[in-house]
Amino acid sequence: DQQVKQNSPSLSVQEGRISILNCDYTNSMFDYFLWYKKYPAEGPTFLISISSIKDKNEDGRFTVFLNKSAKHLSLHIVPSQPGDSAVYFCAASGSSNTGKLIFGQGTTLQVKP
Amino acid sequence: EAGVVQSPRYKIIEKKQPVAFWCNPISGHNTLYWYRQNLGQGPELLIRYENEEAVDDSQLPKDRFSAERLKGVDSTLKIQPAELGDSAVYLCASSLFGTGKETQYFGPGTRLLVL
């Protein structure tokens, strides 16, 4: 049972345009969401997070939107840069504060110069 | 500040052989995690430590996997005997606390291939 799903395995965008990566979840007990970025042969690195009490969080070129009623979140990158090419994972944690993150399958983003 | 250190980076073994992975977390982080990432999937938690105590090992296949975190710092994950299906990347992460509402810092991982 995949509680966090990223249905698009890959995405290709032109440099300077917007990249939108999507993530859906099924567990209504999730109350904190994170995005991680992963380059080849490296571990995932934290990008941005959002609490369920918010519907938007912004950090520079990166914005995460949360739609709790739809159990959907998205990551917007504007403008996209070639260095953003990586695998992006969304992750969720629950209100029980167990520290356990549930990851999606990842979306490979390619930003073309 | 040094990040999470893992060794070895790559390991190739034959099935039924034992293998061990080592992790040194970020200094001062009391929570340590071991994840397994299969090809095309996201990381899945195997075990979480708070200091020396394993507080969540529900996903650890205990018949062949074992882990320890002596003195609440370094940790070792062992597989004995390895099976073909154990081929994956094994990631170690650490965080200050274990709330799930904080950044987990990942090491580069150990890529295991079981032949």
Side-chain angles (χ1 to χ4, degrees):
Chain A
D1 179 28
Q2 191 77 25
Q3 298 186 69
V4 178
K5 296 180 182 180
Q6 294 175 255
N7 292 317
S8 297
S10 63
L11 175 67
S12 182
V13 301
Q14 208 65 36
E15 181 180 5
R17 305 295 292 270
I18 184 172
S19 295
I20 300 176
L21 295 93
N22 294 303
C23 179
D24 297 297
Y25 62 96
T26 58
N27 191 336
S28 58
M29 298 301 292
F30 289 149
D31 64 353
Y32 196 77
F33 304 89
L34 309 90
W35 285 93
Y36 279 81
K37 179 169 70 174
K38 185 182 183 304
Y39 293 118
E42 295 183 11
T45 56
F46 171 75
L47 192 56
I48 192 170
S49 62
I50 187 168
S51 166
S52 61
I53 62 173
K54 295 185 175 182
D55 54 17
K56 176 183 174 181
N57 189 27
E58 192 172 354
D59 184 2
R61 297 185 296 112
F62 303 91
T63 303
V64 56
F65 295 92
L66 176 62
N67 182 334
K68 289 187 291 294
S69 61
K71 294 189 177 66
H72 176 84
L73 63 155
S74 60
L75 174 68
H76 292 210
I77 307 173
V78 183
S80 300
Q81 300 173 353
D84 296 329
S85 297
V87 180
Y88 289 79
F89 293 98
C90 69
S93 68
S95 56
S96 57
N97 286 345
T98 63
K100 183 174 183 176
L101 293 183
I102 307 296
F103 283 84
Q105 309 97 307
T107 297
T108 300
L109 173 66
Q110 182 185 28
V111 180
K112 297 179 179 179
Chain B
E1 178 183 294
V4 176
V5 179
Q6 289 188 248
S7 68
R9 293 294 310 274
Y10 304 92
K11 190 75 176 178
I12 301 175
I13 61 172
E14 293 187 348
K15 62 181 181 181
K16 300 185 181 179
Q17 294 299 306
V19 65
F21 314 124
W22 175 81
C23 173
N24 179 245
I26 292 174
S27 177
H29 283 191
N30 77 340
T31 305
L32 183 146
Y33 314 78
W34 282 103
Y35 288 86
R36 177 169 60 187
Q37 184 179 11
N38 292 314
L39 190 63
Q41 301 295 317
E44 294 180 324
L45 182 70
L46 291 174
I47 188 168
R48 178 171 72 97
Y49 282 93
E50 287 185 8
N51 299 308
E52 302 92 351
E53 183 182 359
V55 295
D56 183 358
D57 63 356
S58 57
Q59 299 296 103
L60 191 72
K62 298 181 184 61
D63 57 336
R64 297 183 300 107
F65 285 65
S66 64
E68 61 182 7
R69 190 184 184 197
L70 300 177
K71 301 181 181 179
V73 182
D74 295 0
S75 177
T76 302
L77 178 68
K78 297 178 182 177
I79 308 175
Q80 183 171 7
E83 297 179 352
L84 296 177
D86 296 331
S87 296
V89 176
Y90 291 83
L91 294 161
C92 179
S94 70
S95 64
L96 273 174
F97 308 106
T99 66
K101 308 296 188 290
E102 53 178 340
T103 299
Q104 294 183 18
Y105 296 86
F106 284 82
T110 296
R111 185 174 296 274
L112 173 68
L113 179 59
V114 182
L115 301 176

